[in-house]
Amino acid sequence: MTTVSTIGQRGFNYDDLERAAPLLFALLENAPEYVLLLSPAGVIRYTNRTVPGLSMLEAIGRSMFDYMAPESHAVARACIERVVATGEAGRYECIGRGPHGAQVRYESRVGAISEDGEVVALLLIAHDISQRVEMEAQLRASQEQLALAVAASGLGLWEWHVDSDTVVWNEVLCQIHGIAPDQVPRNFAALLETLHPDDRPAMAARARDVASVEEFVEFEHRIIRTSGDVAWLMVRGKSVRDDTGRVVKLLGGVVDITARKQADEALRREEERYRSLVATLAEGIIVVAGDGTIVTCNASAERILGLAKDELVDPFGPGNPLRAVHEDGSPFPQESWPAAVSLRTGERQAGVIMGIYRPDGLLVWISCNCQALFRAGTSVPDAVVASFFDITDRKRADAERERLLGEEQRARRRAVLLAEAGKLLVSPRDIHAALGEFVHRLVPELADFAAVELLDEDGGFGTAHRVAVATGDREHDARYIDLRRRLPISADGPLLEVLHRDEVRLSTARPDAPLLPLPGVPDGDVSLAACLRYRAVVLAPLVARCRPLGVMLVATRGRGLGPDDLSLIDELGLRAAQAIENARLYTEMELALAKREEFIAVASHELRTPLTPIVLQTDRLIRRARGDGEFSAATVLPRLGVIQRQADRLHRLIEELLDVSRITGGRLEIEVEEVDYAELLRATVENFSEPLARAGCEVRITAPLYASGRTDRTRFEQIVSNLLANAMKYGVGKPIELALEEVGEHVLLSVRDHGIGISAKDQARIFQRFERAVSERHYGGLGLGLWVARHVSEAMGGSISVTSVPGTGSVFVVKLPRVVVGGG
């Protein structure tokens, strides 16, 4: 192979070069670069290979610029001219034709081939750098983007070369520390001086941590800037090792987290303030996560619920120790609790009232508000905040207010009912009509049924007893009254039992049981019994001055009756009883007044009757004594006898009136002595011989020869005299039979007449004051004899009774102790 120097000696010959270097050409043909031998003007004399589609023969002799992009001609030409001129190698980059006609970027190196100091040829080696240029462009773009990102993110980069103990910072890290690039710490010790004194030991330890592991290590520390400000940095570092595993340097990044730390500190203070505020709130606060766990529970919530936070392990599940109720007392299911509803639906719950039974059994009332919490971009609640107030005192106050209002309303209704009942019952003249209006006033305001059943004259509820009823239906009222007229109420029934016990009775049917029938309404009366069935039935006795008058019935169909209702019914019953008793007393007063007037008239007549003959006979005797006539025993004695008889009669009348005063005033005195009842009876009858003869009444006495005892002689004579006078008055011209017998420790005296007799209805009242069975026009007297006889008998410890049949006569029986105890 011809060398460049040989060629220089013999002259340059391209053909000789080609023949001398076949091996070189073979090597060049397989080289990846383009190798060209050029003339100083750039004409191709040799090329190791060409692009596809162009033969080597076609390339030789052509200008290299034919295969170069026009924009690269200038740079290539300048390089060739410089090489030719100086003989020094040159380099340039250009764009030329590549495989398949594509443009490719080449890096070309040009060397000169000289002969006798003159450049006679050029050797050009072109290397395809398109891929490298593209990668460098991408790298530059990446670096630019990284630099931009670093600058934008404020990321400071650092390196610490362990062997040389040198520190490298980027510009951003200098800015973070507030220093110029020439003030960067020279070594690790100087780096530690930039840290807060309290954080320097930790930094040294962290550096050892970074060197001991291959992963990134992250930590935070403080620095003191040249201005004196303290800043927080977050450092992330990693060790770099050589092939032997030895740590050669540490590198990483730094971010200024001062703002975040300040925000965290502010947030921490705000959270502490919030927690302090929440902790001091009287309002209970609970935050429940989506899985049902308690996130937050303040002290007020624990106090209100009576549970600590760790005891609320299952707030919406079967393990929850709390039980809730609605305001009406019905159960409040856990799935309906406001927190559960907010967590399930995401909807806000406000002002939900709940009653909570705490584990200690205490019931507390709360007003609960719940708000669901969502994570950003989600529609499913992540948690719920429940806030609630203890309104137990308010509920109690409300309940007390409701109770007081209810009591006021009930009291007002009670007062109205009582006032109206008093107005209806105020008139004593027609009490039965007033009772009818009274029971109709009670229906339907107080009850669905009201009735007043009054005792008849026999003290029972016979077919003649008075009834006032209100059922809410006039037809039912009439049928009820008709029933009472047809069927008496049983003597062993509840009405008389209640009256005898003198207590209010309430009968109530359970809600699931049949309604109750009214007492005294037989099941046989199907239509009426079916209509008059009630949930609650009250029987209230009507008693006044210890005198039973009847029973008031009150019944409700749709509701029960409570203590207030019973109290009102009892009060209404008292008002009705008082009105009935007042009406009775008013009637008795009117009757007494009438009898008083009658008594005054009769007494005047009775007193005038004996006085008239006394006056006449006395006048005649006075005239005879004055000489107007014969004055002898035969003429005087009959007249004196008349005066004596009438005076005795007048004396008896006055004594009867005095006895009335003594008896009514409680001043009747009994003076006992040893007597023979039989002899005393005969003597008394003997004293009545003249009146009995004038009345034409024969007296028959049946008595033992001797009946000893102790009694008030005068009062016993008074009893016998009054009974004899009564027998003579009502049995004129008919015999009178007296019988005396001893029965054990008692003495029985019977006086039988055969006069007009006494009806059964009059037998009870003839022993009353000023009473008589017939008109005083036909039979004289004051109407006091039997009344005095009854009271005298009772004063001596005895009694008097009568048995009589109208038209047949009467038998009066006096039962006295054989030995009467003396006293007033």
Side-chain angles (χ1 to χ4, degrees), residues 741-757:
E741 59 179 324
E742 294 178 294
V743 180
E745 297 298 320
H746 291 84
V747 176
L748 296 183
L749 169 67
S750 64
V751 178
R752 177 189 297 272
D753 66 66
H754 299 274
I756 60 176

Side-chain angles (χ1 to χ4, degrees), residues 259-307:
R260 194 195 76 185
K261 278 289 189 178
Q262 291 173 346
D264 290 346
E265 180 64 20
L267 179 60
R268 185 188 63 79
R269 291 195 299 268
E270 187 65 21
E271 286 182 350
E272 289 181 355
R273 189 174 69 86
Y274 162 75
R275 292 182 184 277
S276 300
L277 177 63
V278 169
T280 57
L281 285 175
E283 179 182 9
I285 303 293
I286 295 180
V287 179
V288 185
D291 60 358
T293 58
I294 301 297
V295 178
T296 299
C297 178
N298 70 345
S300 292
E302 295 178 346
R303 174 182 53 78
I304 293 171
L305 300 180
L307 289 171

Side-chain angles (χ1 to χ4, degrees), residues 316 332-338 340-341 344:
F316 303 133
F332 202 134
Q334 291 181 352
E335 61 271 16
S336 300
W337 288 16
V341 173
R344 185 172 61 250

Side-chain angles (χ1 to χ4, degrees), residues 11-26:
F12 186 79
N13 188 327
Y14 291 102
D15 293 334
D16 292 340
L17 181 61
E18 291 175 356
R19 287 192 298 269
L23 180 59
L24 177 62
F25 290 154

Side-chain angles (χ1 to χ4, degrees), residues 281-597:
L281 285 175
E283 179 182 9
I285 303 293
I286 295 180
V287 179
V288 185
D291 60 358
T293 58
I294 301 297
V295 178
T296 299
C297 178
N298 70 345
S300 292
E302 295 178 346
R303 174 182 53 78
I304 293 171
L305 300 180
L307 289 171
K309 177 184 175 182
D310 55 359
E311 294 177 301
L312 290 170
V313 293
D314 192 12
F316 303 133
N320 187 2
L322 301 175
R323 182 169 61 90
V325 293
H326 288 284
E327 289 187 90
D328 60 0
S330 62
F332 202 134
Q334 291 181 352
E335 61 271 16
S336 300
W337 288 16
V341 173
S342 286
L343 199 57
R344 185 172 61 250
T345 65
E347 298 178 357
R348 183 173 183 269
Q349 306 293 308
V352 180
I353 305 300
M354 302 174 64
I356 301 292
Y357 282 98
R358 304 192 329 177
D360 58 6
L362 180 66
L363 174 64
V364 295
W365 289 96
I366 62 173
S367 176
C368 187
N369 301 311
C370 292
Q371 179 67 56
L373 303 179
F374 298 87
R375 288 189 181 274
T378 64
S379 59
V380 178
D382 183 65
V384 64
V385 178
S387 62
F388 48 90
F389 292 95
D390 185 349
I391 59 171
T392 304
D393 292 340
R394 192 187 79 187
K395 287 289 289 183
R396 288 173 181 165
D398 290 344
E400 180 65 14
R401 185 167 55 253
E402 289 294 328
R403 185 186 68 80
L404 293 176
L405 180 60
E407 288 185 357
E408 180 185 358
Q409 291 175 344
R410 287 190 294 272
R412 189 174 300 169
R413 185 186 68 166
R414 178 191 184 108
V416 170
L417 270 177
L418 292 175
E420 293 184 357
K423 290 180 181 178
L424 293 174
L425 298 173
V426 71
S427 175
R429 292 186 174 276
D430 194 352
I431 187 62
H432 300 294
L435 289 174
E437 294 182 12
F438 167 70
V439 295
H440 278 90
R441 178 62 184 83
L442 303 183
V443 176
E445 182 171 341
L446 176 63
D448 300 305
F449 173 90
V452 172
E453 309 261 2
L454 297 181
L455 293 173
D456 56 20
E457 294 182 354
D458 297 328
F461 295 105
T463 55
H465 80 280
R466 296 294 189 100
V467 179
V469 63
T471 65
D473 186 320
R474 295 290 183 181
E475 181 180 352
H476 291 161
D477 294 351
R479 290 170 60 189
Y480 185 89
I481 293 175
D482 178 66
L483 173 67
R484 289 294 186 250
R485 294 291 174 266
R486 291 185 288 105
L487 295 175
I489 297 177
S490 174
D492 57 355
L495 267 67
L496 281 172
E497 181 181 355
V498 165
L499 195 56
H500 292 157
R501 290 178 176 271
D502 192 15
E503 61 183 14
V504 177
R505 175 181 295 180
L506 169 65
S507 301
T508 304
R510 297 192 308 272
D512 57 345
L515 298 178
L516 301 174
L518 283 175
V521 179
D523 295 335
D525 195 332
V526 178
S527 59
L528 191 60
C531 294
L532 302 181
R533 287 184 172 272
Y534 300 92
R535 179 69 58 199
V537 178
V538 176
L539 304 180
L542 302 180
V543 178
R545 298 172 65 186
C546 299
R547 176 189 179 94
L549 303 174
V551 175
M552 183 173 73
L553 294 82
V554 177
T556 57
R557 185 174 287 112
R559 65 180 183 89
L561 294 172
D564 291 340
D565 298 313
L566 293 181
S567 175
L568 177 58
I569 292 171
D570 188 29
E571 182 65 24
L572 289 170
L574 292 176
R575 297 288 180 91
Q578 186 177 5
I580 296 169
E581 179 65 9
N582 289 341
R584 185 187 68 80
L585 294 176
Y586 184 82
T587 302
E588 290 182 355
M589 180 189 69
E590 287 188 325
L591 184 60
L593 290 175
K595 288 181 178 179
R596 187 191 66 177
E597 297 298 327

